[in-house]
Amino acid sequence: MVAYVVRRVLLMVPTLLGIMLANFLIVQAAPGGPIEQVIAQLKGHGLEATSRVGGSAGGDTGVAGQQPDLSRGGETSKYRGARGLDPEFIRQLEKQFGFDQPPHVRFLKMVRNYARFDFGSSFFRDQPVVSLIWQKLPISISLGLWTTLLVYLISIPLGVAKAVRDGSTFDVWSSAVVIVGYAIPSFLFAILLIVLFAGGSFVSWFPLRGLTSENWTQLSWGARILDYLWHIVLPVLALVIGGFAGLTMLTKNSFMEEIGKQYVTTARAKGLTRHRVLYGHVFRNAMLIVIAGFPAAFVGILFTGALLTEVIFSLDGLGLLGFEAAINRDYPIMFGTLYIYTIIGLLLNLISDLTYVAVDPRIDFATRET
């Protein structure tokens, strides 16, 4: 098993490189880079970054506090909207953002730095990317863990109940609820919850923004915990409603498949009780595929649902940070958060395989070809 873990860890290296290269090439081809963002701000166009540029609020100054000379023109620039700007100012911007070097040089430099978890500094926030990620990661992990825990606590018992009552009235009506949860994305549920319970059109029982109150640091520890739970109810509820459907049906189908196998018939013929057959034999075998889906569920919640939910509820996590970075074309944050997400996903896949062995010791990945 140790050899298998080592092989999997080594395989993470080319996987990381491939993902980084693919996204680097996509970003290079995308229009509206950070230099265009600065030019748009200087000329008062609609493309505005939501954060600071070059240490100045609102992008009023250029590089190192210099005011660009807009009087020069006549030189064609590869950047949209750069006509009329001093070419030397454009070159200074390229040097500041690292675009004075060829793409392959920038990529190799990024790989070397990322191997040391050195993600550089944000283009528009004047802070190291590692510091920003470290500040935001607990919020995203908190949302993902609470949501995944509740999704499993709801979906597994519900899926088992649907399997043993297949075709009953309970199965039909619960399937209708599952279909609704599957069809409607979590961000729409988030908007609905805001309208209903966060002062939209009905009651205002829960806060609309943030994960804690402004006076959170002044509260006692018990009050801090209650305040945190009060703020997290709606975001987690939106994610749970949008995420439990698939796992519920997976659990049901897995149980029904196991119930129809020969060893269940044999166990019943030996006089074992229904409860012993279901939870002593069927449950362990049926849960293998459910456990295998844990990394995909957690990463899916963290990557998609949590991202939009953080934006909707103004939760200052990695999702909101990545959204603002994409709007601002803040490449260090974009690549840094992607790198962290990829590592989390790869590690969770490895943990999933190890959990297989914990649930069923008969499985031995050490003898499997990789």
Side-chain angles (χ1 to χ4, degrees):
M1 179 57 68
V2 174
Y4 171 75
V5 173
V6 172
R7 288 198 303 269
R8 286 290 300 271
V9 171
L10 292 177
L11 284 173
M12 292 180 186
V13 177
T15 303
L16 275 172
L17 288 175
I19 293 175
M20 290 173 62
L21 178 59
N23 285 274
F24 182 83
L25 295 176
I26 292 173
V27 167
Q28 296 304 305
I35 294 180
E36 284 91 341
Q37 293 279 340
V38 175
I39 292 172
Q41 290 183 40
L42 292 171
K43 293 196 170 184
H45 294 166
L47 291 175
E48 293 184 357
T50 58
S51 304
R52 297 173 59 184
V53 182
S56 60
D60 293 331
T61 62
V63 180
Q66 298 177 1
Q67 290 288 349
D69 183 4
L70 302 179
S71 61
R72 302 186 187 182
E75 183 172 330
T76 303
S77 174
K78 60 182 177 181
Y79 300 107
R80 185 179 58 183
R83 182 178 179 83
L85 292 178
D86 184 358
E88 179 60 27
F89 171 70
I90 299 297
R91 282 191 288 271
Q92 291 182 33
L93 281 179
E94 289 180 331
K95 185 176 181 179
Q96 177 186 357
F97 291 121
F99 295 125
D100 57 333
Q101 298 176 335
H104 69 278
V105 174
R106 301 202 305 272
F107 178 74
L108 292 176
K109 181 180 179 181
M110 183 178 71
V111 171
R112 288 195 299 270
N113 292 337
Y114 279 31
R116 306 191 303 268
F117 287 88
D118 178 9
F119 304 135
S121 297
S122 167
F123 286 163
F124 301 108
R125 288 175 177 259
D126 300 327
Q127 294 184 48
V129 174
V130 171
S131 176
L132 287 169
I133 292 177
W134 187 253
Q135 294 171 19
K136 316 299 183 184
L137 187 60
I139 295 176
S140 297
I141 294 294
S142 176
L143 279 177
L145 287 178
W146 276 114
T147 303
T148 306
L149 175 64
L150 291 176
V151 164
Y152 270 74
L153 288 177
I154 294 172
S155 299
I156 292 177
L158 180 59
V160 173
K162 287 175 64 62
V164 299
R165 297 175 177 84
D166 183 46
S168 66
T169 303
F170 169 80
D171 182 42
V172 173
W173 283 104
S174 60
S175 293
V177 176
V178 168
I179 291 173
V180 172
Y182 187 81
I184 302 178
S186 59
F187 72 90
L188 288 182
F189 278 117
I191 296 173
L192 177 62
L193 291 174
I194 289 174
V195 172
L196 294 178
F197 303 112
S201 300
F202 295 89
V203 298
S204 183
W205 293 345
F206 297 97
L208 177 60
R209 300 171 60 88
L211 205 58
T212 56
S213 300
E214 294 181 358
N215 64 336
W216 188 79
T217 56
Q218 304 171 6
L219 301 175
S220 63
W221 280 108
R224 288 182 182 183
I225 295 174
L226 292 176
D227 182 75
Y228 163 76
L229 294 175
W230 181 48
H231 280 76
I232 208 172
V233 166
L234 293 187
V236 170
L237 183 58
L239 291 171
V240 169
I241 293 175
F244 83 100
L247 185 60
T248 298
M249 296 308 299
L250 178 65
T251 303
K252 176 190 175 181
N253 294 335
S254 179
F255 256 77
M256 291 187 64
E257 181 180 356
E258 292 296 325
I259 289 174
K261 290 184 177 179
Q262 183 62 40
Y263 75 88
V264 175
T265 304
T266 302
R268 287 174 175 171
K270 290 181 178 180
L272 296 180
T273 64
R274 183 169 177 266
H275 185 274
R276 178 69 182 275
V277 172
L278 284 177
Y279 297 100
H281 297 276
V282 175
F283 185 82
R284 185 180 67 176
N285 294 329
M287 282 300 98
L288 288 176
I289 190 171
V290 176
I291 291 172
F294 173 80
F298 182 76
V299 173
I301 290 169
L302 209 59
F303 282 6
T304 55
L307 188 155
L308 294 173
T309 302
E310 286 181 17
V311 174
I312 293 172
F313 287 97
S314 298
L315 301 176
D316 199 12
L318 283 181
L320 184 59
L321 178 68
F323 173 78
E324 292 182 349
I327 296 297
N328 296 329
R329 302 299 193 270
D330 198 335
Y331 294 160
I333 293 180
M334 291 172 62
F335 288 124
T337 52
L338 173 69
Y339 187 80
I340 295 298
Y341 275 140
T342 303
I343 289 178
I344 291 175
L346 292 173
L347 289 176
L348 284 175
N349 277 310
L350 177 58
I351 292 173
S352 174
D353 286 348
L354 299 179
T355 309
Y356 261 127
V357 179
V359 174
D360 191 348
R362 295 173 299 175
I363 297 176
D364 185 10
F365 286 106
T367 60
R368 191 182 75 173
E369 293 287 337
T370 57

